[in-house]
Amino acid sequence: MEAISPFVAIRRDLHKIPELGFQEFKTQQYLLNYIRSLPQERLDVRTWKTGIFVKVKGTSPRKTIGYRADIDGLPIGEETDLPYRSEHEGQMHACGHDVHMSIALGVLAHFARNPIKDDLLFIFQPAEEGPGGAKPMLKSDIMREWRPDMIVALHIAPEYPVGTIATKEGLLFANTSELFIDLKGKGGHAAFPHLANDMVVAACTLVTQLQSIVARNVDPLDSAVITIGKITGGTVQNVIAERARLEGTIRTLSTAAMQAVKRRIEAIVRGVEVAYECEAAIDYGAMYHEVYNDPALTAEFIQFAATRSDMTVIRCKEAMTGEDFGYMLAEIPGFMFWLGVDSAYGLHHAKLAPNEAAIDRAIDFLISYVSWKGNME
Ligand SMILES: CC(=O)N[C@@H](CCC[C@H](N)C(=O)O)C(=O)O
């Protein structure tokens, strides 16, 4: 039996119990059990819905350093053959939030036993994948009382090797908007299409027409993504579909670009309504602020990381991923960085399998950074 670190063991426990946004009940209980096993002298623990705030009191605090880990899973059926694969049918930690939590607990455990001058605030946040926990947590009374002076978070990066961190000053992640489009036509017998109004055909037209926005309406030197991740319509092969539904997400690099893309989406949907003589309704769902790293703190972090022989730090490009941590960074200076986990399969893939060697290396690295930042004069 391989000897594994306690935080790899924790990651594996959490990997078994992925839960969707604001349903992280087992996860929260697991986290609380561990947090309550730590020395409590310097801890103040409060829950917020399925999230948790943990204040670690410093010895002579001048500021508060915040650290956030997201805790929710995704509605994906796991396809790894890991012995600790998900025990929740159709749900998986396919975005590394289990790794995020185990790293946060490792750093918390250290500072619960080895306080620094400054206060720390650990935030275990629900519902990052949707509908978004960061914004309501940011507006909570607890956050108002314990608001940190800076805040940090990481996200696993399957494409980078273990021992690599990647980030950049300024814009790191896109802004996002979910996109739901419902179409209503007229059902009927498959053999008499002229007596019905087929919404499967209308939906398929819409999927391809929406892509013309990125190809023809967005400045080629800018970026945008419109992904339709799910399409449903109809009930059975020989009945013409009266209804169809498209579920997707929009990514852009600025508020102006998001507004322009939505204007085009609305024009194209209206056009499909006319062309197919149907009814269409658009809902934008959860929308996330872009992730904007504080230039000064990020440059300082990169400089610190460059002094560490056990980590390689690179300045990366922006990514079209979304992260509601962007709401926290819009109000509190800080940064997010990618953590290399060297997985053949990427984020949101059913076979994602992060290299667990990244966990303890990240814990050691973050302990050194927070100790440096939290003790500096
Ligand atoms: C890091 C990551 O994968 N984040 C998610 C955020 C999803 C936001 C929202 N539910 C949406 O789908 O737009 C991502 O998909 O980038």
Side-chain angles (χ1 to χ4, degrees):
M1 183 72 171
E2 63 172 318
I4 59 174
S5 89
F7 301 106
V8 167
I10 285 171
R11 180 259 166 166
R12 294 182 179 182
D13 288 346
L14 290 166
H15 189 82
K16 293 178 189 173
I17 55 168
E19 295 165 303
L20 303 184
F22 291 128
Q23 300 169 34
E24 308 93 337
F25 305 110
K26 291 183 188 177
T27 305
Q28 183 185 52
Q29 197 51 60
Y30 184 98
L31 294 171
L32 286 170
N33 291 344
Y34 180 80
I35 293 165
R36 288 169 178 153
S37 74
L38 299 173
Q40 296 297 299
E41 302 79 59
R42 315 198 74 85
L43 301 189
D44 193 343
V45 183
R46 298 186 194 175
T47 57
W48 175 89
K49 295 184 188 286
T50 49
I52 306 170
F53 288 98
V54 186
K55 184 79 174 277
V56 184
K57 299 180 192 71
T59 56
S60 53
R62 296 75 49 89
K63 64 180 181 293
T64 299
I65 300 172
Y67 186 79
R68 171 276 202 170
D70 43 13
I71 70 170
D72 56 323
L74 279 160
I76 293 175
E78 184 164 351
E79 296 175 8
T80 72
D81 56 1
L82 295 169
Y84 49 85
R85 60 184 168 277
S86 171
E87 296 170 356
H88 291 178
E89 187 67 29
Q91 297 178 7
M92 178 186 176
H93 272 301
C95 207
H97 298 186
D98 50 344
V99 174
H100 301 171
M101 286 186 273
S102 61
I103 291 170
L105 289 177
V107 178
L108 169 58
H110 172 84
F111 290 112
R113 299 182 175 97
N114 306 278
I116 53 175
K117 290 179 181 174
D118 286 334
D119 287 344
L120 302 177
L121 179 65
F122 288 81
I123 302 169
F124 295 90
Q125 176 216 311
E128 184 276 329
E129 296 291 350
K135 193 173 183 179
M137 259 188 142
L138 190 64
K139 303 303 180 192
S140 69
D141 291 341
I142 301 171
M143 193 66 153
R144 257 194 291 278
E145 181 184 346
W146 284 351
R147 192 182 189 82
D149 300 287
M150 64 173 285
I151 193 161
V152 177
L154 67 80
H155 203 290
I156 68 160
E159 70 276 23
Y160 292 126
V162 171
T164 304
I165 54 178
T167 190
K168 69 182 287 289
E169 297 88 342
L171 186 65
L172 182 68
F173 285 5
N175 60 18
T176 74
S177 174
E178 294 175 343
L179 171 63
F180 305 102
I181 302 171
D182 289 295
L183 301 174
K184 184 178 180 303
K186 182 183 177 186
H189 193 296
F192 303 97
H194 58 298
L195 301 179
N197 188 358
D198 189 342
M199 287 302 100
V200 166
V201 174
C204 293
T205 302
L206 198 46
V207 168
T208 51
Q209 285 198 3
L210 288 175
Q211 293 310 314
S212 70
I213 297 170
V214 177
R216 301 290 83 188
N217 304 130
V218 175
D219 182 337
L221 299 181
D222 193 353
S223 288
V225 171
I226 300 174
T227 292
I228 301 298
K230 181 178 178 182
I231 185 167
T232 51
T235 54
V236 72
Q237 84 286 350
N238 63 345
V239 173
I240 292 176
E242 177 159 282
R243 295 179 182 277
R245 178 174 170 85
L246 288 70
E247 299 185 2
T249 183
I250 311 163
R251 307 301 164 91
T252 66
L253 297 176
S254 69
T255 303
M258 179 61 79
Q259 291 167 345
V261 165
K262 287 184 173 180
R263 278 196 299 274
R264 287 298 301 140
I265 289 173
E266 285 148 24
I268 287 175
V269 169
R270 296 286 87 78
V272 165
E273 269 191 316
V274 171
Y276 286 87
E277 297 177 312
C278 63
E279 296 170 27
I282 302 172
D283 170 19
Y284 288 118
M287 290 174 260
Y288 290 173
H289 194 283
E290 55 263 28
V291 172
Y292 190 89
N293 283 347
D294 177 88
L297 286 173
T298 308
E300 181 188 66
F301 170 75
I302 291 171
Q303 192 173 17
F304 171 86
T307 65
R308 290 281 306 222
S309 59
D310 60 343
M311 295 299 272
T312 300
V313 57
I314 55 178
R315 276 188 170 84
C316 56
K317 295 192 294 184
E318 299 86 347
M320 301 308 278
T321 36
E323 243 286 0
D324 65 351
F325 184 61
Y327 282 115
M328 293 191 176
L329 290 178
E331 295 192 16
I332 304 167
F335 54 87
M336 174 165 263
F337 65 93
W338 289 110
L339 175 75
V341 295
D342 189 21
S343 165
Y345 292 96
L347 298 177
H348 293 196
H349 191 286
K351 292 185 177 178
L352 171 74
N355 183 333
E356 293 175 323
I359 292 172
D360 284 279
R361 289 182 69 157
I363 291 168
D364 291 343
F365 172 72
L366 281 166
I367 287 170
S368 64
Y369 170 72
V370 173
S371 299
W372 172 76
K373 190 67 183 172
N375 279 325
M376 67 170 34
E377 293 306 326

